[in-house]
Amino acid sequence: MVYRPLHNFGRFVLAACAVSLGVATLGAQTTPSAPAPGGHNDSRVDVFLGYSYFGAHGVVKPAGIAYSSIDLGGIASGAYFFNKYVGMELTVGGHPNGTNDQLYTASAGPIARVHLSDFSLFAHANAGGARFGGPNRNDESGGPSPVYYNPNVWGPTLAVGGGMDYDLPFFNNRFSLRLFQVDYRYIHANFGPANTPGGLLGGRANVSAAELSTGIVTHFGSIIPPPPVTYSCSISPATVFPGDPLTVTGTASNLNPKKTATFTWSSDGGAVSGTSNTANVDTKTAAAGTYTVKGHVTEGNKPVEAADCTASYTIKAFEPPTISCSANPSGVNPGDSSTITANAVSPQNRPLTYSYSSTAGSISGTSSTATLATAGAAPGTITVTCNVVDDKGQTASSTTTVSVAAPPAPPKPMTSNLCSINFDRDPRRPARVNNEAKACLDDIALNLQRTSDAKIAIVGNGATTEKKQSQKLAAERAINAKAYLVKEKSVDASRISVYTGTEDGKTATTTLIPAGATLDSGAWTPVDESAPAPAPKRRRR
């Protein structure tokens, strides 16, 4: 009996493949679906079940009987992928067609795949064994004749090929439709000695076959490992002074909640305490500078997942205090006082001690205010220095000024009028200094004795009734008054100036001129004392 072609069934399989390819393509064009997480693009294991078409081409030697039939059967395979692209595959197939003309294959080998959106392309190469039989023959020339057959035997087989899968969007892309799988299969079979009596045909067969398959692929597992553990940390505050507390907090992502996470901390500037995702940094002994705290997280008793994080912080050196100084009032009269106010600030709120000094006067106070006394200070500007020191010995200073006003200047000396002398009592001697005039001049002499640096101006006046003698008599009256003071009272002549005035009267006025005073002579005319006095006229008898 010979393999009989099942042409109609083969055409059906090819048509089904074509329709499937068309539907898959149409579906890909109209309703594309991206592979879902955990879908076949990431699957660890693929299991394929489907139909297989097998077409053999070869002869049994030396009988020369050809394999020219086709046969349908089933195929199953399982692939385990080491990564997204490469794995190992085990394939089994069966094409039963009677008692002694069956084909069963079992083979394994590498498989490679690549994903294109909703499609996957794959290629594989398998080697293994095949249980293979036939072809059988009877004598069809008519009449009774012996029947020859070849029993099923095991032989090596090789298969090389590939195909295309289309992802089905149902059930989270757990299934794919294998649109086609095309393999070239080679089988070698040895049926024993040729023409063995008893109906055995015998001989050897080297069969090349085309094997077409289609079916459903199921995906299991995932080859993408879980996302790695990530760890970030932050520190607050980021800038401190020595001794200030610091808190560092770590945030871990992608930890497995079924495993125990372990946290450790270290720092290159200060001791770190804490075994959770929060720790404290002790900065008491750290010098000024920038430091880094490092966090480490692991999970599980045999941790394979770990991550690190770092955060930087700065320790600043203690800053000195600052101070400003002011005076109220800033200007005083001699002997008055001023209040000095110091405004000092420590950036670290350290305790502060105040002190003061001044360039003149005296200052007292040990708090933020002090008092400047100006008693005994010369007029001018007094500079006050305000000092502050913290408990770390860091200092600051500031200055302010207080102006001490000069005492008021003494009033400027002024001239003053003294007594006047009348010369109208002695018509015969209208310029003579009589006793009444002497009394006035005696008082003037006493004034000059009390004020040794003062001077005196004597202004003689003439009456209009004296006509042409008026100016002459006015000069004589001034000169005679001066002569009395010089000769009788011993007054230095340089201290006495004589003038003629414009008043209408037989008088002589006197003006005291203290040292520093300015005499306003006005319309007075200085008397030329060097001219000889005219002899007095004798009166006729």
Side-chain angles (χ1 to χ4, degrees):
M1 186 168 55
V2 181
Y3 287 102
R4 287 180 170 78
L6 302 176
H7 298 290
N8 294 333
F9 196 82
R11 292 192 186 98
F12 170 76
V13 172
L14 292 175
C17 291
V19 170
S20 299
L21 179 60
V23 171
T25 305
L26 180 60
Q29 294 173 347
T30 56
T31 57
S33 60
H40 86 278
N41 282 350
D42 305 328
S43 60
R44 175 69 69 180
V45 176
D46 286 352
V47 176
F48 167 58
L49 296 175
Y51 286 102
S52 177
Y53 162 79
F54 180 79
H57 299 279
V59 297
V60 177
K61 298 179 180 180
I65 301 175
Y67 287 88
S68 60
S69 62
I70 61 174
D71 192 14
L72 290 175
I75 187 172
S77 65
Y80 180 88
F81 288 92
F82 307 114
N83 54 44
K84 190 174 181 179
Y85 303 103
V86 179
M88 289 296 293
E89 180 184 46
L90 173 65
T91 302
V92 295
H95 297 79
N97 192 34
T99 303
N100 297 317
D101 50 1
Q102 302 171 350
L103 171 64
Y104 297 97
T105 59
S107 57
I111 182 172
R113 67 181 176 183
V114 63
H115 305 296
L116 304 172
S117 185
D118 295 335
F119 295 90
S120 296
L121 299 177
F122 66 92
H124 56 192
N126 296 334
R131 184 168 177 79
F132 190 51
N136 297 340
R137 186 186 72 175
N138 61 5
D139 191 351
E140 297 180 356
S141 59
S145 62
V147 175
Y148 298 93
Y149 66 95
N150 278 330
N152 295 325
V153 297
W154 283 99
T157 182
L158 299 173
V160 178
M164 175 184 286
D165 297 339
Y166 171 68
D167 305 333
L168 298 177
F170 314 109
F171 305 106
N172 198 26
N173 281 336
R174 182 64 64 186
F175 300 97
S176 294
L177 172 64
R178 182 148 293 179
L179 300 177
F180 63 87
Q181 178 177 317
V182 179
D183 294 314
Y184 165 78
R185 183 173 290 280
Y186 169 80
I187 303 172
H188 173 76
N190 188 349
F191 297 105
N195 299 319
T196 303
L200 294 178
L201 181 63
R204 299 183 304 277
N206 295 309
V207 177
S208 297
E211 195 169 28
L212 304 178
S213 306
T214 186
I216 296 295
V217 182
T218 306
H219 310 287
F220 299 94
S222 174
I223 63 172
I224 295 181
V229 174
T230 60
Y231 199 29
S232 62
C233 52
S234 60
I235 196 163
S236 178
T239 302
V240 295
F241 295 101
D244 291 346
L246 283 173
T247 300
V248 58
T249 302
T251 302
S253 300
N254 304 323
L255 288 176
N256 188 340
K258 296 181 180 179
K259 296 182 180 180
T260 301
T262 301
F263 299 88
T264 58
W265 298 93
S266 63
S267 173
D268 56 1
V272 185
S273 60
T275 57
S276 66
N277 67 323
T278 301
N280 297 315
V281 182
D282 186 353
T283 63
K284 292 180 181 178
T285 59
T290 299
Y291 300 94
T292 300
V293 62
K294 180 178 180 181
H296 182 70
V297 61
T298 59
E299 62 176 356
N301 295 329
K302 296 181 180 180
V304 295
E305 290 293 337
D308 296 315
C309 70
T310 58
S312 297
Y313 60 95
T314 300
I315 297 179
K316 298 194 302 184
F318 283 113
E319 297 177 0
T322 58
I323 188 172
S324 61
C325 199
S326 61
N328 184 30
S330 59
V332 296
N333 293 320
D336 292 345
S337 62
S338 176
T339 299
I340 307 301
T341 302
N343 182 19
V345 176
S346 170
Q348 300 84 49
N349 295 320
R350 312 302 305 183
L352 300 175
T353 301
Y354 296 85
S355 64
Y356 302 87
S357 63
S358 62
T359 57
S362 61
I363 190 166
S364 60
T366 57
S367 65
S368 59
T369 59
T371 301
L372 173 68
T374 64
T381 300
I382 299 176
T383 300
V384 177
T385 301
C386 305
N387 306 296
V388 67
V389 59
D390 63 15
D391 60 342
K392 295 293 182 179
Q394 299 183 106
T395 63
S397 298
S398 181
T399 61
T400 187
T401 59
V402 176
S403 296
V404 179
K412 185 177 180 180
M414 303 292 291
T415 61
S416 60
N417 295 325
L418 300 178
C419 58
S420 297
I421 303 171
N422 290 316
F423 292 91
D424 57 355
R425 295 185 181 275
D426 189 353
R428 293 171 43 186
R429 292 176 289 184
R432 185 178 70 87
V433 176
N434 59 20
N435 290 334
E436 184 179 353
K438 291 178 181 179
C440 172
L441 293 174
D442 290 342
D443 289 337
I444 292 172
L446 290 174
N447 264 315
L448 291 176
Q449 290 176 1
R450 287 193 295 267
T451 55
S452 60
D453 57 351
K455 295 182 179 183
I456 191 173
I458 302 175
V459 181
N461 299 298
T464 56
T465 58
E466 296 176 321
K467 299 181 180 181
K468 294 182 179 180
Q469 297 294 318
S470 175
Q471 287 299 313
K472 176 182 176 184
L473 291 174
E476 289 179 359
R477 289 165 184 157
I479 290 173
N480 291 339
K482 176 179 178 180
Y484 177 81
L485 290 173
V486 172
K487 294 177 180 179
E488 300 296 332
K489 296 298 180 181
S490 301
V491 177
D492 188 353
S494 64
R495 298 176 64 187
I496 303 172
S497 300
V498 289
Y499 302 88
T500 59
T502 58
E503 290 184 8
D504 185 9
K506 302 174 183 179
T507 63
T509 60
T510 59
T511 301
L512 183 66
I513 307 170
T518 301
L519 176 66
D520 182 10
S521 59
W524 297 347
T525 302
V527 176
D528 184 5
E529 297 181 62
S530 62
K537 291 182 177 181
R538 294 181 179 267
R539 190 169 180 177
R540 291 180 181 180
R541 295 187 182 213

